[in-house]
Each structure stands twice: as C-alpha cells, then as structure tokens.
Amino acid sequence: YNVFTLTMNRSALSSKFKKAKIFCAFIQEGRSKKAGVTQEGSYVCAASAGTKFGTHGCEVWISRSIPISEHSSVKVSQDDLSIIDHNPRIIVVRLVTSCFSVVLVSAHAPYVTTPDTIPQAMKWHSEFVARINEYHSKYSIVIVGIDGNFTLSQYGDMPTQFGTAFSGNPSKHEQFVKEVYARSELRFFTTLKENCRPVFYKDPYTYHVKTGTHVTTNDYMMAPHAGVS
C-alpha cells in the first residue's frame, strides 16, 4: 500500500488491518521520522525513515494477534523482527520464529514522468534486482511488496514471470523493466488476483487516479523461485 503519509493515521490503519485480518502489509510513503521496529496496536512495524523533505519511507507491518499459519498457534512478537537494511525507498526485514524464517522487503521505485527521468529508474531497478538476488542467495526465502511505478502492456513479448501483471497502458520504460526482470530470479506471483485464495480476489487494478479518469496496476508482489513454491 502506498499510503502517502502515516503521520496522523497509524492507529486508524492498524485498526483497519486488524478488522480485515491482514497478517502482513508492505507500506510505501510511510514517512516515518526515524527507522526502527515499534508496535502500533496489534502490529509490529519495521520502518525506514523518510527523507529530510518529508517524502518516501517504507514499512513492513506484521500482526501480533494472528497466528503465522492455519496450522500453528505461534504468533509474531517484536523480538522476532530485525532490520537488515533500509533507506527511504526500501526496507529489508528478517522475520525469525520458532517455525520458519523469511526476509520481507517493502520498496518504492522512482516514478518516471519524462524521458530524462528514465535513467534514474533504470538504475534503481537494476540495483534492486541485484540486491534481492543477493538476499535470496543468503536467506533463501524472500517476499517483496513493491510500488513499482511501472505498468506493462499485454502486447508483445511478455516474460513468463510477469503472469497476468499488465494493465494495457505501458510505462515509458516498459521494455527496460521487462528486460531487467527477465534476467532476474524474481517472479510476480500475484496482482491481488492471480494465485490468491478466493477470499482475496480483487480486480487487477491497484491504483485509482484521484480524478477518476482511469485505473492502473503499478503495485506488485514478487519473490525469487524458492519464495513462490
């Protein structure tokens, strides 16, 4: 979720997540003033700090009240969560319980507005893929929730790992994005519809423009091969 700012709404968001029985949430634009692991209601929150201009900041929220699986009574505590790496556009968290361990990543890619902003986005995505591959090599299971700020057309050559992750309105840097992720170990395993349990089925769009003129898909869940199986 790109929430724009959590400064005044953290408690309300915690309540909404609890009511919806959300176990884990990946948040962008949290705009926390400092990085760290804290508690918000019934959730453990790992946050990276926003910039000095009050933008960005990524977070991972995990429920302390919901068991980690349908077949276990184990619940997450604050001590189970540690921050591996962070900056305003990414936070990498390791969750270690008595049952399993996993690396969770919340990330926010640069937005491409004009052709001259494409190189910055290209550099970010290349470095991001290299970083995730490194974590996968070290920790095995990695799950990513990302505001990718790119949309893909269903036409042309679509790398198999994208599944049905397209909106029909491609970004200016669509072809580069396809090439970068085609060379990676990452797979896009859901767009809030594909491969989700029926209770989570939504339409495939993850962003509704405020003017109501159109909707698009630019938020994704992804994981290396081992994280999907």
Side-chain angles (χ1 to χ4, degrees), residues 5-221:
T5 178
L6 286 178
T7 305
M8 300 299 292
N9 299 300
R10 300 181 72 88
S11 178
L13 191 63
S14 174
S15 297
K16 288 181 179 295
F17 283 168
K18 184 177 181 180
K19 184 176 181 179
K21 298 181 180 180
I22 292 175
F23 175 71
C24 178
F26 300 89
I27 288 173
Q28 298 81 40
E29 289 292 343
R31 302 180 182 180
S32 176
K33 293 187 181 301
K34 61 180 181 179
V37 180
T38 59
Q39 290 187 20
E40 188 63 61
S42 60
Y43 284 82
V44 179
C45 311
S48 68
T51 68
K52 63 181 180 180
F53 304 107
T55 59
H56 306 319
C58 295
E59 306 189 15
V60 175
W61 287 37
I62 301 178
S63 173
R64 296 187 295 119
S65 61
I66 301 173
I68 60 175
S69 79
E70 296 176 351
H71 309 290
S72 172
S73 61
V74 175
K75 297 177 182 178
V76 173
S77 71
Q78 186 168 337
D79 293 337
D80 296 332
L81 220 59
S82 59
I83 298 175
I84 298 174
D85 192 13
H86 67 90
N87 65 51
R89 284 197 176 273
I90 190 171
I91 185 167
V92 184
V93 176
R94 191 177 187 208
L95 171 63
V96 180
T97 74
S98 58
C99 301
F100 73 101
S101 66
V102 61
V103 170
L104 304 169
V105 182
S106 178
H108 189 188
Y111 184 60
V112 171
T113 54
T114 58
D116 62 314
T117 59
I118 292 178
Q120 177 192 12
M122 292 166 55
K123 181 176 183 292
W124 189 92
H125 282 287
S126 294
E127 293 176 348
F128 172 73
V129 166
R131 177 179 288 187
I132 299 303
N133 286 343
E134 179 183 338
Y135 294 135
H136 174 45
S137 176
K138 184 174 181 179
Y139 298 106
S140 183
I141 302 178
V142 181
I143 300 176
V144 180
I146 180 175
D147 178 349
N149 271 323
F150 63 80
T151 53
L152 303 171
S153 167
Q154 60 183 305
Y155 307 108
D157 296 329
M158 177 65 75
T160 56
Q161 66 263 45
F162 284 106
T164 57
F166 56 79
S167 68
N169 299 301
S171 298
K172 298 177 178 67
H173 57 320
E174 174 195 32
Q175 190 56 43
F176 173 80
V177 168
K178 287 182 179 179
E179 292 172 358
V180 167
Y181 287 97
R183 296 194 300 268
S184 77
E185 298 177 345
L186 286 164
R187 296 295 180 266
F188 293 66
F189 62 90
T190 179
T191 59
L192 303 186
K193 180 177 180 181
E194 193 71 15
N195 296 330
C196 281
R197 290 186 300 171
V199 70
F200 293 117
Y201 275 9
K202 306 287 183 183
D203 64 52
Y205 303 110
T206 65
Y207 178 68
H208 293 248
V209 177
K210 289 182 178 180
T211 59
T213 56
H214 66 284
V215 292
T216 189
T217 301
N218 59 7
D219 301 284
Y220 307 91
M221 297 293 293

